[in-house]
Amino acid sequence: MPHSALLNVMIKAAFRAGKSLKRDLGEIENLQVSLKGPRNFVTAADRRAEEILRTELAKARPDYGFLGEEGGTHPGADKTHRWIVDPLDGTTNFLHGIPHFAVSIALERNGVIVAGLTYNPANDELYVAERGKGAFLNDRRLRVASRRQLAEAVVACGLPHYGRGDLAQARAEIFAAQRYFAGLRRFGAATLDLAFVAAGRFDAYWERDLSPWDLAAGMLLVREAGGFVSDLDGGDAILTKGHVAAGNETMHRELLRLLKEAGSEAAKVRVP
Ligand code: IPD
Ligand code: CA
Ligand code: CA
């Protein structure tokens, strides 16, 4: 399936970074690892992949700005375009040799995400979307799942760990999800969680404490696959608030409702 010139630039960069990650995956035991915060790892593999992405994207679009998880912001001469990049999403999985991680690239034009890509080099699954042009997995057009019954649905979530996020709130939300859904999944890569919703593998997904590079490409993938994505207040401030709910129309609505319910339950039992 022919891709636009823009997507071809993103795919070429992602494949190059993916090759580097696959090489590093084979040498994990020798990989330099450091901590960015409690249980928040960064490796030489993350940094190498980001450098490759920045170089490749700058070669093709020298004036665009760049926001990367590891290297931060690099303003461009063209103030209307910005790449938003997670060079390795699922670093903890990667460090444990769990083949569920991804490179994620999004292009923002005048504050709107117009193109997104999430690529898992371990199984060569390439998810792409362009605004108004649909979402695809390895050239197969994607549609979110059509299930309407929570009791038949699988929902994915993030799980805050000690030192990060509100554990009491998370417990209440997970307990609520266990009561309603057929299954709960924690796979450890937010970009792939959203891609799996777009592909109809997960019926819904929610998470808090995320960054723009975890969310940007996935938001577009879900929307271009006919799904609904919002922040956990039901609004569109996903990238700024750093929390997200996604699914088909029913799943998205029901997920927001039960998370709100769980929130008020948690507030009742919270020890002052
Ligand atoms: C992390 C993963 C994880 C999510 C964390 C993210 P990273 O990204 O997406 O699933 O729960 O909040 O920080 O650090 O591996 O790029
Ligand atoms: Ca990362
Ligand atoms: Ca990430």
Side-chain angles (χ1 to χ4, degrees):
M1 185 188 80
H3 292 303
S4 69
L6 172 66
L7 266 185
N8 282 332
V9 163
M10 295 163 74
I11 293 169
K12 187 173 165 219
F15 283 173
R16 289 234 156 121
K19 214 167 159 193
S20 165
L21 290 174
K22 276 197 269 193
R23 207 175 24 249
D24 286 330
L25 190 63
E27 297 158 15
I28 291 181
E29 57 289 348
N30 309 326
L31 207 57
Q32 185 229 336
V33 182
S34 42
L35 265 179
K36 290 193 289 187
R39 297 168 176 84
N40 190 359
F41 304 100
V42 59
T43 75
D46 299 71
R47 295 202 177 98
R48 232 189 311 275
E50 183 157 320
E51 213 29 58
I52 291 168
L53 291 166
R54 201 157 78 80
T55 309
E56 285 297 318
L57 295 171
K59 237 192 272 172
R61 299 287 189 282
D63 296 341
Y64 287 12
F66 184 95
L67 169 62
E69 175 174 8
E70 308 312 340
T73 297
H74 301 268
D78 171 348
K79 302 298 174 207
T80 62
H81 287 96
R82 180 176 70 149
W83 300 112
I84 302 176
V85 166
D86 192 339
L88 172 46
D89 183 45
T91 300
T92 305
N93 284 350
F94 183 86
L95 277 172
H96 289 256
I98 301 168
H100 187 78
F101 55 86
V103 175
S104 194
I105 307 171
L107 178 64
E108 185 188 57
R109 179 180 295 144
N110 298 317
V112 177
I113 305 299
V114 293
L117 170 160
T118 294
Y119 171 56
N120 180 349
N123 62 6
D124 263 327
E125 287 199 332
L126 174 69
Y127 300 85
V128 297
E130 272 187 282
R131 201 171 149 80
K133 299 182 182 170
F136 300 84
L137 165 55
N138 297 351
D139 297 345
R140 179 171 61 82
R141 179 114 196 197
L142 295 179
R143 292 295 305 166
V144 292
S146 58
R147 284 182 200 84
R148 301 245 174 289
Q149 304 303 321
L150 299 191
E152 296 165 5
V154 168
V155 62
C157 66
L159 268 183
H161 41 64
Y162 180 75
R164 196 167 156 180
D166 180 333
L167 298 187
Q169 180 182 53
R171 267 196 297 274
E173 292 178 347
I174 287 155
F175 185 54
Q178 287 169 314
R179 274 206 313 262
Y180 290 95
F181 286 95
L184 187 59
R185 299 289 180 272
R186 171 25 171 183
F187 274 24
T191 60
L192 287 170
D193 291 327
L194 286 163
F196 278 28
V197 171
R201 294 172 179 173
F202 291 153
D203 297 287
Y205 162 63
W206 91 93
E207 187 157 2
R208 296 171 185 280
D209 303 311
L210 293 172
S211 303
W213 44 79
D214 298 313
L215 294 158
M219 282 164 34
L220 186 66
L221 283 167
V222 173
R223 285 184 176 141
E224 288 298 323
F228 287 68
V229 190
S230 75
D231 58 49
L232 292 180
D233 307 314
D236 200 22
I238 304 165
L239 297 186
T240 44
K241 288 185 177 177
H243 44 71
V244 67
N248 66 27
E249 188 173 11
T250 307
M251 289 295 155
H252 175 256
R253 188 184 60 241
E254 290 302 303
L255 181 58
L256 287 179
R257 184 185 58 72
L258 76 87
L259 291 175
K260 198 156 181 227
E261 204 182 274
S264 35
E265 293 289 318
K268 279 189 212 138
V269 296
R270 197 177 290 281
V271 184

